[in-house]
Amino acid sequence: MVEQGWSGIFQIIGALALFMYGIKVMSEGVQRIASLQLRDALQRVTQNKVSTFFTGFVTSSLLQSGSAATLLTISFVNAGIITLTAAAGLVIGANAGSSVTIWMLTIFGFEYNLFALCLPMIAVAMPFVFLYNGRHRNWAETIIGFSIVLIALQFLKSVVPDLHHHQEIISFVSYLGRHGWLSILLFLIIGALLTAFIQSISAAMALTFTLCLNGWLPFEIAAAMVLGESIGTTLTVEVASWVGNIESKKAARMHVLFNAFGALIFLPLLPLVLSGVSWAMVFMFKTGNPFLDKWAMPAGLAFFYTVFNLVCATLYITFIQLYIRMASRTVKAGAVSTQQHNFIDMGSNSADLSLPIALQEIIQQCQRIKSLNGMLNRIINFTSDHDFQEFMVQAQDYLTKLNVNHKATTQYLIGLVEDRSSQITSVQIKSLLNINLLMDHIAGLYSSVYTLIQEKRKQRVWFGPTQRSTLLYRINDAEVMLKRSIQLLQSSSFGRSNWKGFNVDFPEKKLDYIDFENEMMEELDRGEMKLPAVITYYRLSQQLDQINDSLRSILNELSGEDLN
């Protein structure tokens, strides 16, 4: 029943809110069903623009949101997992794939009345929500979300008043639509503001379709609103990219250019394009004329939106390098922090898709530790004062980055733990949390090592060949384990059977160290070494042994086997 005044307005808002909640439930269900496959597909994207386009198209179709697929893309760009060229194809495909959601909305919500099936579908699906089996539960949530969407559309159609019973509103709407291009621009802006406010193009289009059915909007004005809604949907992605690096901002700007420039291209051609849409619907698809038949308007608008996306996709995919350059030039290369990696929020229940982003930052942390270890190798050997100071400055920079990014990565991983995810992803998240904590401990140990070396330099304490060789052996062991850890993390091959070429015999190494240290004590007894050098050596060797023990713990975490 249609209510007047504030009650009617809140009913419309409530119907839209229920619709958006249904889309969210359905999208998250589909996402959990196909998340591992989507994650693998996105990680394997190449520079081929056709393959990246289809990957973006499928991702957007499955996630039921072009913005969600684009947000996922810029998050991968921000983490350095995919390049800007690959992101361009994904963004174009994601925008084209958003048409699938609109067609589902049109067919199931406006062409066919499936409202009578909604409650039976919920009744059948609900018992599976409480099952332990994740796949059955995810399918059940998808069906329930879809049913909620259909129920919300039915409410929306019932609470929006029919304009034929309100002559004063008819006069006002007719007045707004009598100003030619000015009216089209006005409703384009209204569409953009509406979508930017509710942050859902599906909900905005559902409202637009309903207004058309109830006589509020003529076809050409509704088409202008659809163009505006395609522009408004870019706000979410653009704002999310502000915390990312320069490359993620460029990827987000490509999303803006696709819709904004596309709308500017279509706007002058709107009468011609709409005439073509009307002709195709009447003579090719044998449906009603959307200019004359209000029941044909939702399908006509969905067809128009599809034409808009496909034409823009064809145009941008053809001139993809120009498209990338345009996006790059519109992003100012301002002062970018080189210390902390800022993770882009992808929303709730996205752990399966977000795991590669956390994994990539863990790899970066390992590489920073590897750089610290490599500089240590050179410092232990003969180093000039100038080189020594440069190494110390670089070491401090790496240590600062390790400390800041450890905190950010820990918070991000804890957020993923709180999300629902597959069992495989849950285990991997816990492993990455443990590895991240171990690397923070290792970074603290390297900080102590560099402090000891600086004190040694100030006090003019010198090591003999035996001490230097023993320390270099320890540093080399750390280098081998760091290299293998990075390789395993990059390949995601955590099984011990994949560790070809890893031949560190830890018990034998410990025996070698004992032999070296016995020889050193004999040199001390003979007066060939000074006591301060021996004390400094023991302090350094203890720190390096702890580093190697922690690295072995990381390898244990990756392999699930005890290497000690």
Side-chain angles (χ1 to χ4, degrees):
M1 180 177 177
V2 178
E3 298 285 345
Q4 303 296 320
W6 285 105
S7 177
I9 292 173
F10 278 110
Q11 283 188 354
I12 294 172
I13 294 173
L16 282 174
L18 185 63
F19 174 86
M20 292 167 65
Y21 177 72
I23 286 286
K24 178 178 183 291
V25 173
M26 181 173 66
S27 176
E28 289 178 357
V30 173
Q31 180 177 308
R32 283 192 287 270
I33 291 168
S35 57
L36 296 180
Q37 292 81 359
L38 282 177
R39 186 176 78 189
D40 292 340
L42 286 168
Q43 286 182 282
R44 289 197 300 266
V45 294
T46 63
Q47 303 296 95
N48 184 287
K49 57 187 179 183
V50 177
S51 65
T52 54
F53 170 81
F54 281 109
T55 301
F57 184 90
V58 171
T59 302
S60 177
S61 302
L62 289 175
L63 296 181
Q64 297 293 300
S65 171
S67 294
T70 306
L71 194 59
L72 181 62
T73 299
I74 67 168
S75 298
F76 275 47
V77 171
N78 187 56
I81 298 172
I82 59 177
T83 64
L84 197 61
T85 302
L90 289 170
V91 169
I92 295 169
N95 279 279
S98 64
S99 303
V100 174
T101 306
I102 305 306
W103 273 111
M104 287 180 60
L105 175 68
T106 304
I107 294 170
F108 296 112
F110 292 91
E111 293 295 315
Y112 301 102
N113 189 354
L114 301 180
F115 179 72
L117 298 177
C118 293
L119 292 180
M121 284 194 296
I122 292 175
V124 171
M126 184 58 70
F128 292 95
V129 172
F130 303 101
L131 291 180
Y132 178 75
N133 187 302
R135 180 163 289 274
H136 290 164
R137 185 173 66 245
N138 294 338
W139 276 110
E141 289 179 351
T142 303
I143 293 170
I144 291 171
F146 179 65
S147 301
I148 292 173
V149 167
L150 297 181
I151 291 171
L153 286 174
Q154 188 66 26
F155 279 136
L156 188 62
K157 287 186 285 186
S158 66
V159 299
V160 173
D162 191 328
L163 209 59
H164 295 296
H165 303 297
H166 299 79
Q167 291 300 321
E168 67 282 1
I169 302 179
I170 290 177
S171 301
F172 179 69
V173 173
S174 298
Y175 173 75
L176 290 178
R178 284 200 302 262
H179 296 83
W181 285 105
L182 187 61
S183 297
I184 289 175
L185 287 173
L186 173 64
F187 279 92
L188 183 144
I189 294 170
I190 291 172
L193 293 176
L194 173 66
T195 312
F197 178 71
I198 63 178
Q199 296 191 17
S200 171
I201 191 171
S202 300
M205 284 202 174
L207 180 59
T208 303
F209 291 176
T210 305
L211 291 174
C212 288
L213 285 178
N214 289 11
W216 287 69
L217 299 175
F219 183 57
E220 62 276 12
I221 295 297
M225 278 194 71
V226 168
L227 287 179
E229 286 159 2
S230 69
I231 297 173
T233 193
T234 64
L235 180 66
T236 304
V237 175
E238 180 69 19
V239 171
S241 71
W242 290 350
V243 301
N245 58 27
I246 191 73
E247 295 300 299
S248 68
K249 290 182 175 70
K250 292 176 183 177
R253 193 59 51 83
M254 287 191 288
H255 182 53
V256 175
L257 291 178
F258 182 96
N259 291 284
F261 275 23
L264 289 176
I265 292 170
F266 262 65
L267 202 56
L269 305 174
L270 195 59
L272 180 63
V273 174
L274 293 181
S275 297
V277 168
S278 175
W279 179 88
M281 290 190 65
V282 172
F283 295 103
M284 292 179 63
F285 302 112
K286 307 300 181 183
T287 60
N289 186 336
F291 281 102
L292 304 175
D293 183 1
K294 68 177 184 178
W295 298 105
M297 282 189 186
L301 292 172
F303 187 48
F304 168 71
Y305 184 64
T306 304
V307 170
F308 167 76
N309 279 324
L310 292 180
V311 169
C312 290
T314 304
L315 181 65
Y316 284 123
I317 208 79
T318 304
F319 303 101
I320 193 166
Q321 293 303 322
L322 177 62
Y323 177 47
I324 294 170
R325 286 198 296 271
M326 287 169 59
S328 300
R329 288 174 181 173
T330 58
V331 177
K332 292 183 179 180
V336 180
S337 173
T338 59
Q339 297 292 336
Q340 181 173 348
H341 176 82
N342 293 312
F343 293 94
I344 293 175
D345 183 15
M346 291 169 54
S348 62
N349 296 316
S350 58
D352 289 317
L353 294 172
S354 303
L355 184 69
I357 298 168
L359 178 61
Q360 184 66 21
E361 183 55 30
I362 293 287
I363 292 170
Q364 294 291 330
Q365 291 285 81
C366 273
Q367 289 173 337
R368 293 180 185 115
I369 291 174
K370 186 171 178 289
S371 297
L372 276 174
N373 194 72
M375 289 191 298
L376 195 60
N377 196 329
R378 297 179 65 181
I379 289 174
I380 292 296
N381 283 298
F382 299 101
T383 311
S384 67
D385 288 336
H386 178 266
D387 291 341
F388 179 80
Q389 293 302 325
E390 283 192 353
F391 283 138
M392 293 305 296
V393 170
Q394 291 178 31
Q396 188 57 49
D397 184 54
Y398 278 120
L399 288 167
T400 303
K401 288 180 181 177
L402 282 164
N403 182 49
V404 172
N405 286 287
H406 162 73
K407 295 176 182 177
T409 306
T410 300
Q411 291 175 356
Y412 189 73
L413 286 168
I414 290 172
L416 298 187
V417 170
E418 294 171 353
D419 284 351
R420 282 180 55 186
S421 62
S422 65
Q423 186 175 0
I424 295 173
T425 301
S426 179
V427 171
Q428 290 176 335
I429 291 171
K430 290 174 184 176
S431 292
L432 290 181
L433 266 172
N434 290 335
I435 291 170
N436 193 46
L437 290 170
L438 286 166
M439 286 197 297
D440 183 55
H441 178 59
I442 291 170
L445 292 170
Y446 272 108
S447 178
S448 299
V449 167
Y450 275 93
T451 301
L452 283 171
I453 289 175
Q454 200 165 25
E455 291 175 359
K456 167 183 169 295
R457 191 92 175 188
K458 288 179 181 177
Q459 295 170 6
R460 314 297 290 177
V461 174
W462 309 115
F463 288 153
T466 304
Q467 293 168 299
R468 191 178 298 112
S469 298
T470 311
L471 292 174
L472 289 173
Y473 276 125
R474 285 182 166 92
I475 293 168
N476 184 64
D477 287 347
E479 185 77 14
V480 172
M481 287 187 282
L482 281 165
K483 183 178 179 181
R484 180 55 62 186
S485 297
I486 292 169
Q487 289 173 344
L488 291 170
L489 288 166
Q490 286 175 335
S491 65
S492 299
S493 299
F494 294 175
R496 186 69 173 85
S497 59
N498 295 313
W499 294 20
K500 297 178 181 178
F502 189 64
N503 298 314
V504 177
D505 190 334
F506 296 111
E508 186 177 331
K509 286 286 182 182
K510 289 181 179 179
L511 291 173
D512 289 341
Y513 295 152
I514 292 172
D515 290 340
F516 279 124
E517 285 162 5
N518 287 335
E519 183 180 342
M520 186 180 63
M521 295 306 297
E522 292 175 2
E523 291 176 357
L524 179 62
D525 292 338
R526 294 195 298 266
E528 297 174 5
M529 292 186 60
K530 294 183 179 180
L531 185 59
V534 175
I535 294 172
T536 304
Y537 163 81
Y538 270 112
R539 292 175 68 190
L540 279 173
S541 62
Q542 286 174 355
Q543 299 292 332
L544 291 172
D545 285 342
Q546 290 184 52
I547 288 171
N548 287 339
D549 287 341
S550 297
L551 289 172
R552 280 194 287 274
S553 297
I554 289 176
L555 292 174
N556 289 341
E557 189 68 47
L558 291 172
S559 68
E561 296 181 14
D562 188 3
L563 303 183
N564 292 301

